[in-house]
Amino acid sequence: MIDSRRRRTTAIWTFGLLAFVLAYTTWAWAGLRPSYHRVGVVASGALLVALALEGRAAGWRVVRRDPVLYLGLAFLGYLAVQWANAGRTQYFDVGYQRWTYTDPPWSGWPSAFARSDAAQMLAWFFPAWTIAVAIRSRVLDRHALRRLLTFVACNAGVLAIFGLIQLASGTESIYWFQPLAGHFFAAFAYGNHAAPYFVLTGALAAGLLYREIFDVRDSHSDSPSAMRLRHPWRVVALLPAAVLCLVGANMGFSRTGVILAAMLGVFAAGYLWLRAWRLLQPAGRLNLAALSLAVLGSLYFLVAGFGEHGIRKEFTLLPADQSLLHSVWDRVDLELGGRPRFARAAVAIWREHPWFGVGGWGYKYLVASHVPESQWPLLEKRGWANVHVDLLQFLVEFGVVGTGLLLGALGVLLYGLLQMRRCRRNAFCAMATVGLALTVVFSLVDIPFRCPAILYTWVALLAAMPFFGLARPEGAAAVGWRPAGPTKRTER
């Protein structure tokens, strides 16, 4: 009785703290303002304490056997060494006639240029690690995880409404009090962060919606042609959340974001019709066509009404002196804002510091030394402290050692997906996988994983997916459950 009560209390605290961290991060400048990091770090620490207080219960035993726990600890320890070994001062080398930086206090060890920059990396990755560990601890069963992800999807829908209200008001200040020069949407001061976040949460909302329409219905329906819903109120909440997320993905006014949002929309519509066609009678197919047209029309009028000008501008070729455009590649380089040349600079910096990297935000201190002086004015543009290719950015900052630890933890999470059963016809897994993959695609040309709101949501979804791909008997305890032969699948 005591153990059961303790597990129940731990599950409540775990759910509440996970929901808080995921929601708070999205609303508080998408997690980018350093002054707001303390709350997320403290809440994440409390989440670990809640898991540890479970003592010898099965959930804590699962945590202690989880490779993500130790790989994450090793990576955070690595970041802590960079933080402790920070402090490099710029000076002019008279002999070489160039500006350069002093060596770190402990030469040959992982280091960073500024301690505040290195501390920001710890504040970003510590909550991401605790989210993964907490979800994988199995303290929350599949039903609790479904509620958590539903909360995340609906929170994203509300955030999109907030962004549309801001956009309609014509304000040039985020939250109506902080003026910003560039385009912003909702809580995302960088418009290109809004697109991958809402694409990811849109895929999440669509996956949960299709799960209610197809997977849960399939489990209870005696007739394959019936479309009775077990939980209509979930559909009522998730359908507008999915539509609002797709609208929000376009309102970031990101060319890549608009394209990826369209790809998600096409895939979601195609998946819906492929699954629904065999389940519906002709009258039902007609009703679904009408509903699809209504949703498509709503999506079109919302996107066109709020963002036609901004989207049109994104797809208009940038003005340029034609005499300077000698090839198609010159036009591509211009349209990408110089990303290829700065990516090459990142590769050059990494080759100079291959093993330990240059520390968090170290790229911005060295990039000017690896591009021609004629390109320095571009570095004054907002956002060019980043490579705009996430993997390259992490490789420059953390080197082979740090990036290897990071990818090792990611590999463990991905391995969980490979063990999933029943995913071929699992609507949630199909849509969630598309959302995760599109975020990775976006990271090839921008910086979604430099945004804590996206990073935490992506990690939470990736860590939770294996629970939805395993068949489990109703009422089975989440902690320590293992499939033990054929069971009758039911759904609460």
Side-chain angles (χ1 to χ4, degrees):
M1 174 67 77
I2 295 177
D3 287 343
S4 176
R5 187 182 302 119
R6 183 167 55 187
R7 285 197 297 271
R8 200 158 47 243
T9 301
T10 301
I12 292 172
W13 276 100
T14 300
F15 181 93
L17 288 168
L18 279 170
F20 173 80
V21 170
L22 291 167
Y24 168 81
T25 306
T26 56
W27 285 91
W29 293 85
L32 287 177
R33 289 287 288 265
S35 57
Y36 289 83
H37 288 165
R38 298 184 186 91
V39 175
V41 170
V42 170
S44 300
L47 181 57
L48 282 183
V49 171
L51 293 175
L53 288 179
E54 200 185 15
R56 296 183 178 180
W60 185 245
R61 290 199 298 271
V62 171
V63 170
R64 288 183 299 175
R65 293 196 300 264
D66 189 356
V68 172
L69 174 71
Y70 300 103
L71 288 167
L73 273 176
F75 179 66
L76 292 172
Y78 180 83
L79 295 181
V81 173
Q82 286 190 329
W83 170 82
N85 197 24
R88 301 182 63 183
T89 306
Q90 189 178 38
Y91 71 98
F92 186 75
D93 190 314
V94 178
Y96 287 99
Q97 290 293 299
R98 67 181 184 184
W99 288 97
T100 186
Y101 289 88
T102 59
D103 291 333
W106 310 329
S107 182
W109 284 72
S111 64
F113 282 86
R115 186 159 290 182
S116 59
D117 292 339
Q120 193 171 359
M121 297 297 107
L122 284 165
W124 281 2
F125 286 100
F126 174 69
W129 170 66
T130 58
I131 288 170
V133 169
I135 291 176
R136 288 170 58 86
S137 70
R138 302 181 185 178
V139 167
L140 299 181
D141 63 14
R142 186 172 59 178
H143 304 303
L145 286 176
R146 186 255 305 151
R147 288 191 291 270
L148 176 67
L149 294 180
T150 300
F151 169 79
V152 171
C154 292
N155 175 72
V158 174
L159 187 64
I161 293 175
F162 171 72
L164 292 175
I165 293 173
Q166 276 193 137
L167 197 61
S169 71
T171 181
E172 295 182 355
S173 302
I174 190 170
Y175 302 111
W176 289 284
F177 75 84
Q178 179 62 55
L180 290 180
H183 174 68
F184 62 88
F185 180 74
F188 297 90
Y190 178 48
N192 283 19
H193 277 157
Y197 174 78
F198 285 112
V199 166
L200 177 62
T201 52
L204 168 61
L208 292 168
L209 174 65
Y210 290 173
R211 178 179 179 272
E212 294 298 324
I213 295 175
F214 299 121
D215 297 343
V216 175
R217 188 214 59 79
D218 281 342
S219 301
H220 296 278
S221 176
D222 296 327
S223 169
S225 62
M227 282 295 284
R228 292 173 298 176
L229 302 174
R230 293 283 292 179
H231 309 288
W233 65 268
R234 293 181 190 168
V235 175
V236 171
L238 289 168
L239 178 58
V243 173
L244 286 166
C245 285
L246 282 176
V247 174
N250 287 276
M251 294 302 102
F253 298 160
S254 162
R255 211 173 338 190
T256 307
V258 172
I259 293 171
L260 294 184
M263 291 173 62
L264 174 63
V266 170
F267 180 86
Y271 188 91
L272 172 66
W273 275 94
L274 284 174
R275 288 290 301 269
W277 186 263
R278 69 177 183 84
L279 297 172
L280 294 173
Q281 300 292 341
R285 293 170 186 169
L286 183 61
N287 291 334
L288 180 61
L291 179 61
S292 299
L293 288 175
V295 170
L296 181 62
S298 301
L299 184 61
Y300 173 79
F301 284 112
L302 283 171
V303 171
F306 284 96
E308 180 181 7
H309 176 72
I311 295 173
R312 189 189 303 275
K313 182 179 177 181
E314 278 297 310
F315 284 89
T316 302
L317 294 178
L318 296 173
D321 185 348
Q322 296 299 318
S323 63
L324 299 178
L325 301 179
H326 304 295
S327 65
V328 175
W329 176 251
D330 291 333
R331 168 56 71 177
V332 171
D333 183 71
L334 175 65
E335 294 300 323
L336 291 177
R339 279 172 170 80
R341 71 189 74 168
F342 292 114
R344 289 194 294 269
V347 172
I349 295 171
W350 169 69
R351 293 179 65 180
E352 294 174 357
H353 308 83
W355 295 107
F356 297 139
V358 295
W361 292 111
Y363 168 81
K364 67 181 179 181
Y365 294 95
L366 299 175
V367 60
S369 302
H370 293 82
V371 296
E373 188 173 348
S374 61
Q375 298 174 3
W376 286 2
L378 282 175
L379 297 176
E380 298 176 1
K381 292 177 60 177
R382 179 172 172 262
W384 279 112
N386 297 284
V387 184
H388 287 76
V389 180
D390 274 336
L391 182 59
L392 271 181
Q393 183 94 29
F394 294 142
L395 203 56
V396 168
E397 293 178 343
F398 309 136
V400 171
V401 175
T403 306
L405 292 171
L406 198 59
L407 293 178
L410 175 62
V412 174
L413 293 173
L414 291 174
Y415 179 73
L417 300 186
L418 300 178
Q419 293 184 310
M420 291 193 304
R421 299 174 177 84
R422 302 174 63 88
C423 266
R424 182 176 300 178
R425 292 179 51 77
N426 188 311
F428 173 79
C429 292
M431 294 305 304
T433 299
V434 170
L436 294 172
L438 290 178
T439 309
V440 173
V441 170
F442 200 94
S443 74
L444 299 177
V445 294
D446 221 297
I447 50 175
F449 294 112
R450 306 288 289 179
C451 174
I454 302 171
L455 176 65
Y456 300 168
T457 305
W458 195 88
V459 168
L461 180 55
L462 179 60
M465 275 184 65
F467 290 85
F468 292 86
L470 292 170
R472 151 179 314 189
E474 175 69 18
V479 177
W481 178 85
R482 295 288 190 279
T487 58
K488 181 180 179 180
R489 182 175 181 265
T490 58
E491 189 71 34
R492 188 165 58 191

